Amino acid sequence: MTQALDEIKIGGLGASRKRVEDDRFIRGKGNYTDDIALPGMLHMEILRSPLAHARITSIDASKAWEIPGVHLVLTGDMMATRNLAWMPTLSYDTQAVLATDKVRFQGQEVACVIADDPYIAKDACEAIDVEYEPLPVIVNPTQAVADGAPVIRDDKENQADNVIYTWEVGDAAGTDRAFEQADVVSRLRLHYPRSHPSPIECCGSIADFNRATSKLTVYMTTQAPHIIRAAVAMVAELPEHMIRIISPDIGGGFGNKVPVYPGYVCSILASILLERPVKWIEDKTGNLISTGFARDIYLDGEMALRKDGKILGVRMRCDADHGAFFSDAQPSKFKIGLLHSAFSAYDIPAAHLRARGTYSNKAPGGVAYRCSFRVTEAMFFQERMMQAAADDLGMDQAAFRRMNFVRDEDFPHRTPFGFLLDSGQYRKCLDVGLQAVGYEDFRKRQAEARAAGRLLGIGISTMTEPLGAGNSREYDILGIKMFDSAELKVHMTGKAIVRTGARTQGQGHETTWAQIVSHELGIPAEDVVVEEGDTDTAPFGMGTYASRSTPVAGAAVAMVSRKIRAKARKLAAHLLEVSEEDVEWELGRFYVRSAPDRGVTIQECAMAAYSNMPDGMEPGLQNTAFYDPPNLTWPFACYIAVVEVDPATGVWDVLSVVAVDDCGVRINPMIVEGQIMGGLTEAYAMANMQFITFDAEGNCVGSNYMDYLLPTAWETPGFELHSEVVTPCPHHPIGAKGIGECAAVGGPAAFVNAVIDALSGTGVRNIDMPLLPDRVWEAITHRRDVSGAPPVRTDD
Ligand code: CDP
């Protein structure tokens, strides 16, 4: 029998193939939205509000209109004549496209100018005279619900206060009973600060309405082109088949490029009005102050504990500050996303969560920055709470976690908040991590260092998270059910093209989707081209965010490959002149069961599909598969950081980081490692340096790269990665679980826990992120918790 082709050699599952897309990126040949220039193209700039809360008393754009080269000035009133001054958000709220009545956050879009070039447009924006009447400003939930607080959303009928929702989940009575039986109750309160995904490429769009064909083409930086097409069709009341969204190369998304932003809408309207292409490219400050903030949540929790360490119950309360518009791009029916995935990895009999969302005079927040809809906040709180509880019990951090983990033999496991976990080896992951970091020995080193006046600390973060929204039963965006599809065409020479509705932004889909086809069909990966991002050619999909590509679109790629294989089997039977039942499959080849030497390759079958098909068979070899996942996938990870804190300055250095990730079967181990390193880098940045907040007037502090720091290779610590724990996902066609965001979700708690561990014995339970030296120093010197909640003081 012919030997099965070596899968790794052809670039199939498990091959660390170099990313094919990198070839054009490292040569500077990427094709980003800003690289595109269309004939007759005009340029749009946005005038933003300097104030966080103010009534607009007048807008005088006459001087802007007079500037040579200006073609159009758009204001809220003009948008209103077309019913476009407001737009619906993905969370069933409304958001101002251009302000009419009031401005509600600093940086809000007030007017747009379309001109021959961006410089003229910018100058003309400055020539627009806007009169504001300042109003009191709200920058946190306490202010939002205080007596007499101004109502931010007075545009909404029946909105008498600043509360957006209250929501609860879990078993309140059962949790109360657990607390009655507790020997120890542990408490923790913290603020997960606003953070910003801050992709290197800002948002932008080029709208091109062609009056002759009535076709609207929009090139834009979106992670979800099909959803944008649906939104444009619904909001602008344009026929969906006449809208083409093209998402070219994207310079990082991280959730920032999921929502619909006013700039997109204005460029589309301007192109329709002017019948010329209109380009809008946001500047960095615009991106940092007005688009997709994440987190900003106050978490308060209690844990009921037996004195031997068993967790009996958990209570969580949260106040989420959504900013001026509730525009979270989250597809769950749960108001606070998947925050109730907290504590899923632990076997806890009872839990209850109560959440409240409020408006504030800040840019809309709640974007899932490298995160599945609040799982970052959930896992951070979980692992900070686990540390506090272990400390309260006087128990070892690792032993406390190990004792409470869901055990391998207990899957499938239903969490007290209702999720179903299918698989995992949590203890093994932890043990590999502890071994790698030298945990036993560390405690000795820590004690010796402490005696010498040095503060060493170790932080453990073990987490699982729900990745791959959705399944259509539970997840939808504006009623559109969450599933994905893939289309595969195998040409007659055996080369293939696969298209999905996902959109890579650096994750490497062009490499890994080809590997899945290769695994399923034995076609070398280099013979498979991957295309995404054009709604006229790609099949429907809900986009790429929340590490959902592999769990959903990747699964669709496997399923469509299997459909192709099923047809190829019929072709093989025809070519081999045997019945289909007598045909066996090995990678890349069908053969006759009773005569294994007689076989045909997948490429020969492809040629037959166009040249020698059996009577009655539809010619060609192409198909589409829609994939509706039965459940989310649940990867698991153990991140451990070791740090040293300088007691004199509060500066802390990372001595080592160990990461053990179990994301099931790895399609491309090298890409997976890249994803983990990127996630850990962002986790470190959030914990250590990224500071973007608001003062009492609602001014955004940190809206530039001098304050909101992106870690470079210089600051970023080294990471030791482990891949030996592999628990395939039982319901995914190739056993893969998502990985893209795990380290960004689980990583921050490892760093913060390590610093708090270094301060053990001081009574300090919490320092809010970022753990800037002055905050750590304040905690050390005053032996107290340090909050980073806004408003910040700006007078010192
Ligand atoms: O949705 P997104 O692409 O951001 O996240 P993902 O599905 O976790 O995948 C990130 C990258 O890692 C993709 O190129 C995947 O194909 C790859 N991956 C992998 O090789 N093996 C896995 N088990 C999971 C992801």
Side-chain angles (χ1 to χ4, degrees), residues 471-668:
N471 52 69
S472 63
R473 295 184 311 282
E474 286 192 299
Y475 299 90
D476 67 80
I477 294 185
L478 298 177
I480 307 165
K481 301 287 188 186
M482 294 205 80
F483 51 81
D484 268 61
S485 65
E487 178 201 75
L488 178 59
K489 291 182 182 174
V490 182
H491 306 313
M492 65 184 80
T493 56
K495 315 287 181 194
I497 176 163
V498 63
R499 295 188 170 107
T500 79
R503 186 58 185 127
T504 190
Q505 317 121 41
Q507 298 92 334
H509 297 173
E510 290 175 40
T511 310
T512 46
W513 293 170
Q515 291 185 248
I516 296 175
V517 175
S518 192
H519 168 69
E520 294 291 338
L521 292 178
I523 297 176
E526 63 188 30
D527 289 350
V528 183
V529 70
V530 177
E531 208 182 84
E532 296 178 335
D534 181 343
T535 56
D536 265 10
T537 54
F540 181 81
M542 298 298 274
T544 292
Y545 41 87
S547 294
R548 63 183 302 278
S549 303
T550 301
V552 195
V557 172
M559 297 313 276
V560 75
S561 303
R562 290 176 191 182
K563 284 186 176 180
I564 295 285
R565 198 166 75 205
K567 183 166 181 184
R569 177 186 291 276
K570 292 185 196 307
L571 287 157
H574 170 67
L575 293 175
L576 295 166
E577 296 177 332
V578 294
S579 73
E580 220 188 305
E581 294 71 50
D582 293 332
V583 171
E584 289 287 337
W585 167 254
E586 64 183 3
L587 192 68
R589 178 178 178 269
F590 292 100
Y591 61 90
V592 180
R593 186 178 305 122
S594 55
D597 286 347
R598 284 190 58 220
V600 285
T601 62
I602 188 78
Q603 290 81 1
E604 287 167 315
C605 295
M607 181 56 82
Y610 296 86
S611 61
N612 178 15
M613 52 283 178
D615 285 347
M617 178 187 273
E618 187 180 323
L621 197 54
Q622 64 183 62
N623 219 319
T624 303
F626 284 79
Y627 187 77
D628 185 4
N631 193 3
L632 301 153
T633 68
W634 292 85
F636 183 83
C638 168
Y639 304 115
I640 306 179
V642 177
V643 303
E644 175 158 8
V645 179
D646 178 352
T649 61
V651 170
W652 52 281
D653 289 323
V654 178
L655 305 183
S656 62
V657 180
V658 165
V660 186
D661 278 90
D662 177 4
C663 60
V665 173
R666 295 183 178 203
I667 302 163
N668 183 322

Side-chain angles (χ1 to χ4, degrees), residues 760-796:
S760 59
T762 63
V764 174
R765 261 174 115 71
N766 185 55
I767 306 171
D768 282 340
M769 292 192 293
L771 275 67
L772 301 169
D774 60 332
R775 290 188 185 175
V776 177
W777 182 82
E778 184 182 341
I780 295 170
T781 50
H782 299 284
R783 306 175 76 82
R784 67 179 176 216
D785 290 8
V786 181
S787 162
V792 287
R793 293 188 312 268
T794 49
D795 51 352
D796 54 11

